[in-house]
Amino acid sequence: MSFKYLINFFLTISFLINGYGFAKEKKIITIGYFVAPTFIYENDRQQLVGPLYDFIRTIESISDYQFVFEKFNHTRMSHEIKLGHIQMMAMSAKQLENEYVINSEIPFMKDKPYLIARSDFKLNKITSVKQLENLTIGIKQDAAISNFLLENKSKLKFETSASTESIYLLILKLLGKRVDLIHGYSSHVFIYLARKNKISDKIKLVEIPGEYSAIYFGFSKKLDISDRDKLNKLIKYLLLEKKINLTEQIKNWDD
């Protein structure tokens, strides 16, 4: 069963239930997100799109929850979830778990860690931190980074970007030679943007050591435990039982 068919099926069932007056009032859950094509982002018509957005809407269609989306940069989102103003983060990682955030029980995807370089960068693979000496790596402020970079953070030079559009800005910094390399938790975002902006010939992926990076949903610890449990069950139901493959959808997304 295709993902779009599955969404239409659930939305039809939801409509029929609502139409006959059986639906109860839905609980509103505010989800913080940052712009991350191809996961979740605004298209040219300023509409939220992406496989992750569709997945969340599918959860909504089979649950007692109504999701409201708010855009933030990482720093602001961490602040808002700490205050309890938002109840979920659309994307989280092990590094982002703290006294305010707990991740979903399972990740919705895993991705191999890479750096992104200009096409004339001499290396295709990094095997030692010494190969990155005297190079500036662009990253998103307060975002998760690969274990290899995290473990060697004191030996490396970083330049951060804090905008809600930080992924776009990092690519501009790279092409403008303001940084030597850039890093994001998922390479698919950069691959998509390069293809979309017709600059695929200007950048390349550079492999770095480390295990696959897992990406989760994040829950505010102020969210009621019963709600968190329900949402975890719904996430596992769609990923494990309905076998929705977000990794493949994100990898192959084309709007």
Side-chain angles (χ1 to χ4, degrees), residues 169-184:
L169 294 178
L170 287 174
I171 291 178
L172 291 176
K173 285 183 178 182
L174 178 68
L175 296 179
K177 299 185 178 181
R178 292 175 56 190
V179 296
D180 301 294
L181 300 153
I182 55 179
H183 172 70

Side-chain angles (χ1 to χ4, degrees), residues 202-214:
K202 298 184 185 303
I203 66 171
K204 69 177 185 179
L205 297 180
V206 178
E207 189 176 345
I208 57 177
E211 59 188 18
Y212 277 66
S213 303

Side-chain angles (χ1 to χ4, degrees), residues 33-51:
Y33 75 97
F34 55 89
V35 176
T38 56
F39 293 78
I40 179 171
Y41 65 105
E42 294 157 356
N43 63 15
D44 295 337
R45 298 179 297 280
Q46 303 302 307
Q47 299 168 322
L48 271 178
V49 294

Side-chain angles (χ1 to χ4, degrees), residues 47-64:
Q47 299 168 322
L48 271 178
V49 294
L52 183 56
Y53 173 76
D54 289 342
F55 184 87
I56 294 169
R57 286 303 189 200
T58 302
I59 294 174
E60 182 181 66
S61 71
I62 59 171
S63 72
D64 296 328

Side-chain angles (χ1 to χ4, degrees), residues 2-249:
S2 72
F3 186 50
K4 287 186 177 179
Y5 180 87
L6 188 64
I7 291 176
N8 288 334
F9 172 77
F10 285 133
L11 289 175
T12 300
I13 295 299
S14 178
F15 172 78
L16 289 173
I17 293 173
N18 286 336
Y20 286 101
F22 297 130
K24 54 185 178 181
E25 186 175 347
K26 294 199 170 197
K27 181 173 183 177
I28 294 175
I29 300 285
T30 303
I31 300 180
Y33 75 97
F34 55 89
V35 176
T38 56
F39 293 78
I40 179 171
Y41 65 105
E42 294 157 356
N43 63 15
D44 295 337
R45 298 179 297 280
Q46 303 302 307
Q47 299 168 322
L48 271 178
V49 294
L52 183 56
Y53 173 76
D54 289 342
F55 184 87
I56 294 169
R57 286 303 189 200
T58 302
I59 294 174
E60 182 181 66
S61 71
I62 59 171
S63 72
D64 296 328
Y65 300 105
Q66 178 183 341
F67 297 118
V68 177
F69 293 83
E70 290 193 24
K71 181 169 68 174
F72 301 100
N73 61 32
H74 278 88
T75 303
R76 181 71 185 189
M77 186 154 54
S78 298
H79 179 69
E80 294 295 321
I81 207 163
K82 175 181 176 180
L83 295 176
H85 293 168
I86 59 176
Q87 292 78 52
M88 285 182 66
M89 296 163 54
M91 298 170 66
S92 186
K94 281 291 184 185
Q95 294 169 34
L96 302 180
E97 280 196 310
N98 53 37
E99 64 267 37
Y100 310 111
V101 179
I102 185 167
N103 288 338
S104 53
E105 292 176 0
I106 60 171
F108 62 79
M109 76 170 289
K110 292 184 178 181
D111 195 11
K112 189 168 179 58
Y114 287 94
L115 291 170
I116 295 88
R118 291 183 293 276
S119 55
D120 60 356
F121 190 69
K122 293 181 180 180
L123 301 174
N124 293 316
K125 184 176 182 178
I126 300 296
T127 56
S128 168
V129 69
K130 288 186 177 181
Q131 294 170 297
L132 297 174
E133 286 181 351
N134 302 316
L135 298 178
T136 301
I137 303 171
I139 60 173
K140 292 179 288 182
Q141 183 173 306
D142 295 329
I145 59 176
S146 73
N147 289 334
F148 173 71
L149 297 183
L150 184 65
E151 291 164 3
N152 293 287
K153 198 168 184 179
S154 62
K155 303 173 186 176
L156 298 170
K157 181 181 178 182
F158 294 98
E159 181 173 319
T160 60
S161 178
S163 167
T164 57
E165 310 287 340
S166 58
I167 295 173
Y168 297 100
L169 294 178
L170 287 174
I171 291 178
L172 291 176
K173 285 183 178 182
L174 178 68
L175 296 179
K177 299 185 178 181
R178 292 175 56 190
V179 296
D180 301 294
L181 300 153
I182 55 179
H183 172 70
Y185 211 58
S186 172
S187 61
H188 297 308
V189 175
F190 296 96
I191 293 170
Y192 168 82
L193 287 174
R195 185 175 72 245
K196 182 85 170 174
N197 293 284
K198 297 181 172 57
I199 56 170
S200 297
D201 60 329
K202 298 184 185 303
I203 66 171
K204 69 177 185 179
L205 297 180
V206 178
E207 189 176 345
I208 57 177
E211 59 188 18
Y212 277 66
S213 303
I215 306 177
Y216 301 79
F217 294 100
F219 298 112
S220 167
K221 287 192 175 177
K222 292 189 176 184
L223 179 66
D224 192 277
I225 293 175
S226 64
D227 291 317
R228 190 170 74 221
D229 289 344
K230 288 178 185 177
L231 289 164
N232 268 315
K233 287 178 181 177
L234 289 165
I235 291 165
K236 289 191 286 187
Y237 169 71
L238 293 176
L239 292 176
L240 302 179
E241 294 187 39
K242 290 302 179 181
K243 300 188 183 306
I244 293 176
N245 191 333
L246 273 176
T247 299
E248 284 302 308
Q249 291 172 19

